[in-house]
């Protein structure tokens, strides 16, 4: 699990970009933005939530660094309140440790979605399977590389900054 799994997944999908690994943590938006040298908004957080329809399954939503999950929008989209995965279930249900959850190389049971908040950028930087990694991905390639089911709009807080 982790970075090697992400690299293999991306290579199999035809991605030839570089997975960057750092000596220091990139586990938060602020740390990741510093490590890759970009604005916090372009950090693509992958939020790991319990699927309201099946608690044995994770929903992974890729959102912009300045966005937050909006409970009402999430409930309208997925049929239940957003509940973060418990710490001890993150790695078994996503394939990645806390701080390194990303939309690549996940178990088949994980459902992946991309939030509209990332669509305003040409590229974003999701984690790459560890708390010390990131990869720059073109937003138009993100659905295919991640195997996302669809785009969703389940966040708030970023629209005021959209330009």
């Amino acid at each position: 699990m982790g970075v090697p799994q992400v690299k293999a997944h991306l290579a199999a999908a035809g991605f030839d970009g570089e997975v960057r690994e750092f000596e220091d943590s990139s586990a938060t938006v602020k740390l990741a933005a510093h490590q890759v040298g970009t604005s916090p908004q372009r950090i693509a957080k992958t939020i790991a939530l319990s699927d309201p329809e099946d608690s044995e399954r994770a929903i992974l939503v890729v959102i912009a660094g300045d966005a937050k999950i909006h409970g009402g929008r999430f409930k309208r989209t997925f049929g239940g309140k957003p509940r973060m995965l418990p710490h001890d279930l993150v790695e078994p249900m996503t394939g990645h440790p806390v701080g390194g959850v990303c939309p690549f190389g996940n178990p088949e049971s994980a459902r992946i979605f991309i939030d509209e908040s990332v669509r305003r950028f040409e590229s974003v930087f999701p984690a790459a399977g560890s708390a010390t990694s990131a990869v720059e991905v073109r937003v138009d390639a993100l659905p295919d590389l991640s195997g996302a089911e669809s785009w969703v709009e389940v966040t708030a807080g970023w629209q005021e900054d959209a330009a």
Side-chain angles (χ1 to χ4, degrees):
M1 296 202 183
V3 176
Q5 178 181 351
V6 169
K7 287 180 177 180
H9 172 93
L10 291 171
F15 179 76
D16 60 1
E18 176 189 5
V19 172
R20 297 174 60 185
E21 295 184 77
F22 314 107
E23 288 188 26
D24 296 321
S25 178
S26 58
T28 68
V29 169
K30 185 177 179 180
L31 292 171
H34 174 74
Q35 291 289 6
V36 300
T38 193
S39 66
Q41 296 91 324
R42 287 186 57 214
I43 299 304
K45 305 182 285 191
T46 303
I47 307 299
L49 303 147
S50 179
D51 187 334
E53 295 178 359
D54 180 356
S55 63
E56 300 295 313
R57 186 168 60 185
I59 287 180
L60 304 179
V61 184
V62 180
I63 70 175
D66 59 344
K68 296 185 183 334
I69 296 290
H70 183 278
R73 290 178 181 163
F74 183 90
K75 186 174 183 178
R76 284 189 294 278
T77 301
F78 294 107
K81 292 181 180 181
R83 298 193 195 301
M84 298 293 286
L85 287 181
H87 191 275
D88 62 325
L89 294 180
V90 170
E91 191 162 359
M93 292 179 76
T94 71
H96 307 294
V98 172
V101 175
C102 65
F104 315 115
N106 308 101
E108 287 189 26
S109 61
R111 299 179 67 200
I112 302 163
F113 299 87
I114 305 170
D115 185 72
E116 288 291 330
S117 61
V118 303
R119 207 185 285 258
R120 63 197 151 131
F121 304 109
E122 185 174 317
S123 65
V124 291
F125 295 86
S130 75
T132 56
S133 65
V135 59
E136 185 174 12
V137 176
R138 291 185 52 83
V139 170
D140 61 2
L142 193 53
D144 288 337
L145 290 174
S146 67
E149 290 183 32
S150 66
W151 287 89
V152 294
E153 191 167 352
V154 296
T155 59
W158 60 272
Q159 293 88 345
E160 300 81 35
D161 295 333

